[in-house]
Amino acid sequence: HLSDLLGYRVSELCAMTDQDIVHPADPGEGGLLPSTSSLPSPGGVGGPIAHRVVARSDGEPVLCQVHSKPSVSEAGGPVWLAIFHDVTEQARHAEELRYQATHDEVTGLLNRRGFEELLSSLTGARDAGRVAVLFCDLDNFKRVNDSLGHDAGDEVVVELARRLRDGVPPSCAAARLSGDEFVVVCPDVDGVGGLSRLAEVVSGVLRTAVPDD
């Protein structure tokens, strides 16, 4: 029941409109259902309005699929009958899978796939000429793995990833392509002082010594 899903009494829901339960984070426009003026003849079925965000009585968002069907009220007027299907957990699981597919497991940065998707979206935009990409790698990283072990190598990579994430301009994104290969993507290089300035910032981050403790 919708009352159980949203934490309202039935009497409270009856006094509300569909717009009253739309959450501020909802990506749609207007209410959850078409207006009664757009109702087709009774018996027709409206299509699902996928992934709308409704609000519980405590303000918590609930992601729902909303399936609507036109009908007639007891008074003879046109109404919509709606079925709300809670897909919050499915959507959260899908988002987790997508995150895992586009982010590096060790550092949490974008991985190669995430980088390629980001770059594709930026280069396809109108201001693609402002996009800059810096490729970076670590000198003698193999020595760290060979002499201290891969756990130590991972610690170095994680620390450098943290510094890149915190040290590059907020508009930029860092990614890890492989073992010691990183990239920094900037959507508007002019906005960060130009390519030379961005290169100075990134090289300064990577040149900083990593403590051995």
Side-chain angles (χ1 to χ4, degrees):
H1 295 288
L2 186 60
S3 59
D4 295 329
L5 178 64
L6 300 184
Y8 289 104
R9 292 189 296 270
V10 173
S11 58
E12 292 175 315
L13 283 175
C14 289
M16 301 168 71
T17 68
D18 59 327
Q19 293 187 2
D20 293 332
I21 61 173
V22 174
H23 193 275
D26 180 66
E29 297 181 359
L32 300 170
L33 301 173
S35 66
T36 53
S37 62
S38 64
L39 279 167
S41 59
V45 179
I49 305 174
H51 295 185
R52 298 297 299 266
V53 184
V54 297
R56 285 180 47 84
S57 59
D58 57 7
E60 287 296 309
V62 180
L63 193 62
C64 288
Q65 270 192 341
V66 184
H67 297 262
S68 57
K69 179 178 181 179
S71 185
V72 178
S73 69
E74 294 181 0
V79 295
W80 283 101
L81 297 179
I83 298 175
F84 291 76
H85 178 54
D86 183 2
V87 295
T88 305
E89 286 303 318
Q90 295 95 312
R92 182 177 294 120
H93 181 61
E95 182 61 29
E96 289 174 355
L97 291 177
R98 171 159 179 77
Y99 181 90
Q100 293 170 8
T102 56
H103 288 75
D104 178 58
E105 182 179 359
V106 175
T107 64
L109 298 180
L110 291 172
N111 59 16
R112 184 179 295 274
R113 175 177 172 180
F115 159 69
E116 290 175 348
E117 290 184 1
L118 173 61
L119 186 61
S120 177
S121 67
L122 292 176
T123 54
R126 182 181 305 174
D127 52 356
R130 299 180 181 177
V131 177
V133 179
L134 295 181
F135 287 83
C136 322
D137 65 4
L138 307 180
D139 293 335
N140 301 316
F141 182 67
K142 188 174 183 298
R143 281 189 186 175
V144 176
N145 283 330
D146 291 345
S147 60
L148 300 178
H150 288 280
D151 288 344
D154 283 349
E155 290 181 10
V156 171
V157 165
V158 168
E159 175 60 20
L160 290 176
R162 183 191 66 79
R163 294 182 183 186
L164 277 176
R165 186 165 40 238
D166 296 341
V168 300
S171 60
C172 300
R176 183 191 184 199
L177 300 187
S178 62
D180 67 337
E181 293 182 343
F182 296 86
V183 293
V184 174
V185 184
C186 181
D188 182 6
V189 69
D190 295 333
V192 298
L195 184 58
S196 296
R197 176 55 185 160
L198 178 62
E200 289 176 3
V201 171
V202 174
S203 62
V205 170
L206 295 179
R207 285 174 179 161
T208 307
V210 177
D212 60 5
D213 57 356

